[in-house]
Amino acid sequence: DLLSVGSRYTKAEAYNKHGELLDVALTFDGQVATQGFALYQNTPNPFNGETIIGFNLPEAGYAKLMIQDVAGKVLKVIDGTFGKGYNEVRVDSEDLGQAGVLYYTLETAAETATKKMIIVE
């Protein structure tokens, strides 16, 4: 969780001497870090203002992030086509309209994961 490769500031891509696009990934002891589907804990958590929700997709495609209250009411949906690898979305607490414990779920065609976050006043 301390290191990641992403396109937040510059596009995370590399090319060989023939100009062909290569995959970019972190490796530890020969193992590629987070090469599959993963939904990460939002940071900061708890938060007031803005938080970042990161996730990893094994391939580019459509994904939907839903934020719900404890009763299951959907407060916000962020969806779209995301790239292979690490992605992140920013969420503003004002868009959610309440403080307390909330859940966020990431859905793709093949995977689903849910995490909990806390908004403080």
Side-chain angles (χ1 to χ4, degrees), residues 23-121:
D23 288 331
V24 177
L26 293 175
T27 59
F28 298 96
D29 296 327
Q31 300 282 335
V32 176
T34 0
Q35 61 188 5
F37 176 85
L39 175 61
Y40 301 111
Q41 187 63 54
N42 65 301
T43 55
N45 187 42
F47 74 100
N48 181 356
E50 185 178 79
T51 191
I52 297 172
I53 300 173
F55 56 93
N56 194 74
L57 298 178
E59 57 187 43
Y62 175 81
K64 177 168 65 171
L65 181 76
M66 293 183 301
I67 301 173
Q68 303 163 296
D69 65 13
V70 293
K73 178 183 174 190
V74 176
L75 304 174
K76 184 170 184 71
V77 175
I78 301 167
D79 63 342
T81 301
F82 295 92
K84 176 182 177 181
Y86 181 78
N87 295 273
E88 62 185 27
V89 294
R90 294 178 183 276
V91 178
D92 192 311
S93 60
E94 290 182 12
D95 293 342
L96 303 175
Q98 65 184 54
V101 176
L102 301 177
Y103 294 92
Y104 57 99
T105 301
L106 179 67
E107 294 180 353
T108 67
E111 304 279 350
T112 301
T114 301
K115 296 273 187 187
K116 179 169 52 173
M117 66 179 167
I118 301 171
I119 300 176
V120 293
E121 292 182 346

